[in-house]
């Protein structure tokens, strides 16, 4: 799709400053959308065809002065060259081709100066375009977006979200249907609707009417800005604005933005085009707002003050299995910096999976409580797997916030903890935090800068993009460094094995929405890489976990027991054979469902929750 993401869209917003047009509406509209440093102003002096271009020397000089004044007053980026032309619209198209802006902002008054109609400007725009009509406010406080799901609906929504965020404005959307329409929503609108479900700050309204123009005028009467896509028209139109938009512009004195996406031949693409990339609006917004860096939280005293003010406690649970080479350094680093020096952590607990080496002895010697997960809650059965250890860590810890850190990290640093903790203390909306990092891969004894995370890129991320596109911005969904609020985690089921990370991520989305998830750059993580056969088994378990959640969504069984055995190909001394291994990714219920847990934490049973899919 030609429409750019929000970041690129707002990186360069082009506004023409045309002689004979004050440009107040277009500049105000651009300022409502983007920061001044990203607004580029270009001067154009139209010259009637019968006059020589040289006669524009004085207007061009005046234009240069006016633009310099704008730059000094408003901090705008100014293109130094003044463009003198007898065909200013064609000149503007050439400027757009050279500058490649994400958005061109015009105003109704420009049309006369360019010698074209608004319909001509919108029919085949040189880039994404917004035309400002009416009285654009200096600061937008309330905006309305009529969204039908047409080709420009995604651009309309992106601009609306940018304006609402920059101006701290209230944003409402409106979906119109004929009174006798049988469906609850237009089919093209469904992609937009999925986005809006994850944006609780946006108020969505459905209205049935046989007079859409009057309905929009009435609904927008208390809004100081109306943003509507040119695709409010029937999809097969190739003419100007059409009667609905023309009536709205004619009757509405308050500000209106008419937007059109740049995509040649878009009118011929039909409903197969519409809404298929709408989810990227949500993902772009989440990625920008909920992606952090560990360095943002390296001031530990400030973080401690924030923790005390919130009155929360923090537990770190360390899952382990035969990690005697690294577990001591992991504990000393975390305990020394974040308990002994700055008391950010209230407890550190080792959850061991019955190691056969000195892992438990090393941890105990450093003063850390040690538990064997197979011996914890054993009345509920004994299972192997990291997910089992994490599930039982909820019972064995007491913190309001629980962080999990793998014990095989060679380059352990306190940032692995405070980086994850930061977003949970900073934002009340964040319930679950994932770490991400560079993962060097050791090949033939040599360290490569990248290459780790093979299961992530070949299995987990493709599955999420396919079935849970809201999570497509999560950089490392399988990272072993993550955590969340107990109030969420105790209500989620846990896969017992390799599927635990992706399962918790999907269930958090379903239960709490995308904005409850954050991710943090933890820089680099060095650990022991696993052989390909182990990665294959891991992928098999992860796929089972995703399929189980799809079964819940669609309320039908997909997997049978026979699908839970994996046939591994063995090649020995020139012969081939199949080794059948059972890899059934079992699942534990929400910890809140266990009587022992409820008795310990004085809580009520977990409530079943509906899927948001």
């Amino acid at each position: 799709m030609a429409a750019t993401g929000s970041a690129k869209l707002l990186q360069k917003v082009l506004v023409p400053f045309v002689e004979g047009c004050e440009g107040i509406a277009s500049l105000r509209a651009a300022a409502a959308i983007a920061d001044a440093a990203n607004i580029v102003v270009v001067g154009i002096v139209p010259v009637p065809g019968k006059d020589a271009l040289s006669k524009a020397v004085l207007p061009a000089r005046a234009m240069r002065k006016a633009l310099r004044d704008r730059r000094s007053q408003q901090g705008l980026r100014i293109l130094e060259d003044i463009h003198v032309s007898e065909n200013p619209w064609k000149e503007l198209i050439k400027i757009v081709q050279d500058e490649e802006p994400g958005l061109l902002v015009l105003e109704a008054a420009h049309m006369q100066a360019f010698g074209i109609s608004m319909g001509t400007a919108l029919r085949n725009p040189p880039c994404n375009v917004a035309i400002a009509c009416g009285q654009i406010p200096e600061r937008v406080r309330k905006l309305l977006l009529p969204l039908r799901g047409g080709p420009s609906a995604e651009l309309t929504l992106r601009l609306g979200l940018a304006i609402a965020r920059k101006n701290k404005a209230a944003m409402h959307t409106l979906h119109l249907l004929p009174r006798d329409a049988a469906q609850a929503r237009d089919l093209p609108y469904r992609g937009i609707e999925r986005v809006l479900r994850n944006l609780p700050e946006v108020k969505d309204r459905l209205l049935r009417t046989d007079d859409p123009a009057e309905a929009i005028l009435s609904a927008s009467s208390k809004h100081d800005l109306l943003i509507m896509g040119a695709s409010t028209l029937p999809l097969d139109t190739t003419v100007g604005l059409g009667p609905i938009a023309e009536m709205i512009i004619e009757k509405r004195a308050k500000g209106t933005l008419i937007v059109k996406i740049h995509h040649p031949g878009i009118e011929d693409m039909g409903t197969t085009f519409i809404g298929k990339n709408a989810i990227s609006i949500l993902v772009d917004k989440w990625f920008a707002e909920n992606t952090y860096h560990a360095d943002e939280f390296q001031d530990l005293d400030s973080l401690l003050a924030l923790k005390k003010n919130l009155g929360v406690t923090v537990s770190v649970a360390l899952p382990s299995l035969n990690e005697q080479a690294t577990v001591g350094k992991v504990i000393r680093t975390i305990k020394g910096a974040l308990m002994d020096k700055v008391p950010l952590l209230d407890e550190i607990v080792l959850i061991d999976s019955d190691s056969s080496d000195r892992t438990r002895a090393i941890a105990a010697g450093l003063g850390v409580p040690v538990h064997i997960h197979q011996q914890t809650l054993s009345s509920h059965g004994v299972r192997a797997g990291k997910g089992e250890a994490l599930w039982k860590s909820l019972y064995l810890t007491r913190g309001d916030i629980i962080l999990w850190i793998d014990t095989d990290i060679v380059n352990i640093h306190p940032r692995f903890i405070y980086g994850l903790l930061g977003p949970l203390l900073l934002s009340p909306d964040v319930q679950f935090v994932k770490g991400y990092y560079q993962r060097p891969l050791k090949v033939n004894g040599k360290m490569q800068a990248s290459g780790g995370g093979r299961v992530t890129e070949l299995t987990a991320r493709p599955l999420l993009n396919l079935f849970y596109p809201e999570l497509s911005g999560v950089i490392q969904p399988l990272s072993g460094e993550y955590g969340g609020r107990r109030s969420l985690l105790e209500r989620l089921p846990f896969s017992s094995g390799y599927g635990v990370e992706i399962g918790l991520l999907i269930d958090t989305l379903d239960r709490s929405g995308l904005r409850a998830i954050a991710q943090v750059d933890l820089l680099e993580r060095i650990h022991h890489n696993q052989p390909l056969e182990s990665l294959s088994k891991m992928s098999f378990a992860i796929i089972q976990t995703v399929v189980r959640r799809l079964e819940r969504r669609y309320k039908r069984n997909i997997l049978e027991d026979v699908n839970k055995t994996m046939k591994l190909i063995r090649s020995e001394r020139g012969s081939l054979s199949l080794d059948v291994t059972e890899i059934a990714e079992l699942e534990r219920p929400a910890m809140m469902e266990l009587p022992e847990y409820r008795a310990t934490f004085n809580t009520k049973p977990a409530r079943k929750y509906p899927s948001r899919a």
Side-chain angles (χ1 to χ4, degrees):
M1 180 176 173
T4 58
S6 298
K8 188 174 181 181
L9 177 71
L10 305 181
Q11 190 173 5
K12 182 184 284 189
V13 176
L14 182 67
V15 181
F17 199 76
V18 186
E19 189 202 17
C21 175
E22 293 184 3
I24 295 176
S26 53
L27 281 174
R28 281 186 177 177
I33 295 167
D35 295 331
N38 294 327
I39 299 174
V40 178
V41 179
V42 59
I44 300 177
V45 178
V47 177
K50 62 181 183 297
D51 293 342
L53 295 179
S54 59
K55 288 189 175 182
V57 61
L58 293 180
R61 186 180 303 165
M63 177 74 73
R64 273 192 292 273
K65 182 180 183 306
L67 293 183
R68 291 191 189 109
D69 291 343
R70 292 278 184 182
R71 176 166 54 196
S72 62
Q73 294 169 9
Q74 298 173 274
L76 306 172
R77 294 163 59 189
I78 305 296
L79 298 181
E80 297 296 338
D81 293 337
I82 302 299
H83 296 260
V84 177
S85 177
E86 60 184 16
N87 191 331
W89 178 245
K90 186 176 289 186
E91 187 73 19
L92 179 60
I93 291 175
K94 184 176 182 301
I95 294 169
V96 168
Q97 291 171 344
D98 292 340
E99 293 296 323
E100 298 183 340
L103 179 70
L104 170 65
V105 180
L106 304 172
E107 62 179 80
H110 281 143
M111 301 304 108
Q112 184 175 358
F114 287 139
I116 61 172
S117 68
M118 196 179 298
T120 299
L122 291 170
R123 185 174 300 124
N124 186 23
C127 66
N128 296 329
V129 64
I131 300 181
C133 309
Q135 300 172 4
I136 304 296
E138 288 190 49
R139 179 176 175 183
V140 179
R141 301 191 180 279
K142 196 174 182 181
L143 63 154
L144 177 69
L145 281 64
L147 294 172
R148 178 172 163 242
S152 293
E154 294 171 24
L155 175 60
T156 302
L157 188 53
R158 286 186 189 277
L159 292 180
L161 289 170
I163 292 171
R165 182 168 58 247
K166 188 171 186 295
N167 295 266
K168 295 181 171 57
M171 178 173 153
H172 298 169
T173 61
L174 179 67
H175 183 52
L176 300 178
L177 279 178
R179 290 186 183 277
D180 59 353
Q183 70 271 29
R185 292 286 193 275
D186 278 339
L187 179 61
Y189 183 74
R190 291 178 185 173
I192 296 292
E193 185 182 27
R194 185 169 179 177
V195 173
L196 295 176
R197 284 205 306 268
N198 283 278
L199 297 173
E201 71 274 21
V202 179
K203 306 304 179 184
D204 185 27
R205 181 185 176 195
L206 171 67
L207 183 62
R208 293 182 178 273
T209 179
D210 293 326
D211 190 347
E214 193 57 43
I216 292 172
L217 284 168
S218 176
S220 65
S221 61
K222 296 182 180 180
H223 295 75
D224 51 9
L225 186 64
L226 172 69
I227 310 178
M228 50 191 297
S231 57
T232 301
L233 303 169
L235 295 178
D236 57 356
T237 185
T238 57
V239 295
L241 288 176
I244 297 176
E246 286 179 356
M247 183 181 298
I248 290 171
I249 291 173
E250 179 184 350
K251 291 188 176 183
R252 180 175 162 84
K254 293 181 179 180
T256 301
L257 284 183
I258 307 293
V259 307
K260 180 71 180 288
I261 188 177
H262 170 63
H263 198 299
I266 193 171
E267 287 84 2
D268 298 328
M269 299 186 72
T271 57
T272 57
F273 172 85
I274 299 162
K276 70 177 184 179
N277 289 312
I279 203 71
S280 66
I281 300 170
L282 177 65
V283 176
D284 283 354
K285 184 177 188 296
W286 174 83
F287 193 89
E289 295 177 351
N290 284 38
T291 299
Y292 298 83
H293 193 286
D295 288 352
E296 296 179 57
F297 310 108
Q298 59 184 339
D299 184 343
L300 301 185
D301 290 331
S302 296
L303 212 57
L304 179 61
L306 185 57
K307 178 198 169 201
K308 289 181 177 179
N309 185 56
L310 293 171
V312 296
T313 54
V314 181
S315 298
V316 170
L318 303 173
S320 64
L321 176 61
N322 296 328
E323 300 296 352
Q324 66 178 15
T326 52
V327 68
K329 183 180 179 182
V330 169
I331 293 172
R332 283 191 296 270
T333 300
I334 295 173
K335 188 172 182 291
L338 304 178
M339 285 189 81
D340 302 337
K341 187 174 182 182
V342 180
L344 265 177
L345 304 181
D346 296 280
E347 66 174 342
I348 300 175
V349 177
L350 187 83
I351 315 295
D352 188 64
S353 295
D354 203 12
S355 296
S356 58
D357 65 2
R358 297 184 61 252
T359 297
R360 293 194 300 278
I362 293 171
L366 293 170
V368 169
V370 174
H371 302 273
I372 299 175
H373 88 249
Q374 289 90 339
Q375 298 175 9
T376 303
L377 297 173
S378 56
S379 62
H380 295 275
V382 177
R383 295 179 186 174
K386 177 186 174 183
E388 184 80 354
L390 300 188
W391 180 66
K392 291 180 178 179
S393 72
L394 297 179
Y395 178 71
L396 295 168
T397 58
R398 295 297 178 266
D400 302 308
I401 292 173
I402 303 168
L403 305 178
W404 293 302
I405 307 294
D406 284 344
T407 49
D408 66 343
I409 304 174
V410 175
N411 64 324
I412 187 65
H413 186 278
R415 68 172 178 269
F416 284 84
I417 297 293
Y418 66 67
L420 294 175
L421 181 59
L424 291 163
L425 296 180
L426 189 67
S427 173
D429 291 332
V430 173
Q431 303 289 312
F432 187 75
V433 178
K434 293 288 295 186
Y436 71 93
Y437 26 66
Q438 291 292 319
R439 298 181 64 176
L441 180 65
K442 197 170 186 179
V443 178
N444 296 327
K446 296 182 179 179
M447 195 69 74
Q448 296 181 354
S450 62
R454 289 164 286 175
V455 177
T456 292
E457 296 303 326
L458 298 177
T459 302
R461 283 184 47 76
L463 283 171
L464 292 178
N465 274 269
L466 187 61
F467 295 113
Y468 298 93
E470 294 93 338
L471 296 171
S472 59
V474 178
I475 296 173
Q476 286 176 341
L478 304 183
S479 68
E481 285 60 57
Y482 58 104
R485 302 186 192 279
R486 178 179 294 275
S487 56
L488 167 73
L489 299 173
E490 66 188 5
R491 287 168 168 79
L492 301 180
F494 276 58
S495 294
S496 295
Y498 292 125
V500 62
E501 280 87 13
I502 201 166
L504 289 174
L505 188 63
I506 292 171
D507 289 341
T508 299
L509 173 72
D510 280 348
R511 184 180 184 90
S512 302
L514 184 59
R515 68 188 304 161
I517 300 169
Q519 61 183 351
V520 183
D521 186 351
L522 301 177
L523 301 181
E524 184 178 80
R525 184 190 194 279
I526 300 174
H527 65 126
H528 306 298
N529 300 106
Q530 298 194 51
L532 188 60
E533 182 176 299
S534 296
L535 298 181
S536 181
K537 294 177 180 178
M538 185 184 299
S539 295
F540 190 57
I542 288 167
I543 293 169
Q544 287 185 52
T545 303
V546 173
V547 170
R548 179 176 285 115
R549 276 140 186 84
L550 292 173
E551 289 178 331
R552 290 175 187 162
R553 172 190 286 185
Y554 297 111
K555 296 179 174 59
R556 59 182 299 179
N557 291 331
I558 300 173
L559 293 180
E560 299 177 3
D561 289 340
V562 68
N563 301 120
K564 298 173 184 177
T565 59
M566 188 171 185
K567 291 75 179 173
L568 300 172
I569 300 174
R570 305 293 187 196
S571 177
E572 298 177 355
R573 298 179 182 179
S575 64
L576 291 175
S577 62
L578 291 178
D579 184 2
V580 180
T581 303
E582 182 175 359
I583 307 175
E585 187 67 357
L586 302 175
E587 187 171 275
R588 289 296 194 179
M591 182 58 74
M592 283 273 282
E593 295 182 15
L594 270 63
E596 299 95 324
Y597 183 85
R598 297 199 302 273
T600 301
F601 289 88
N602 193 27
T603 56
K604 297 179 180 179
R607 179 171 58 89
K608 301 295 184 181
Y609 59 90
S611 171
R612 295 166 59 93

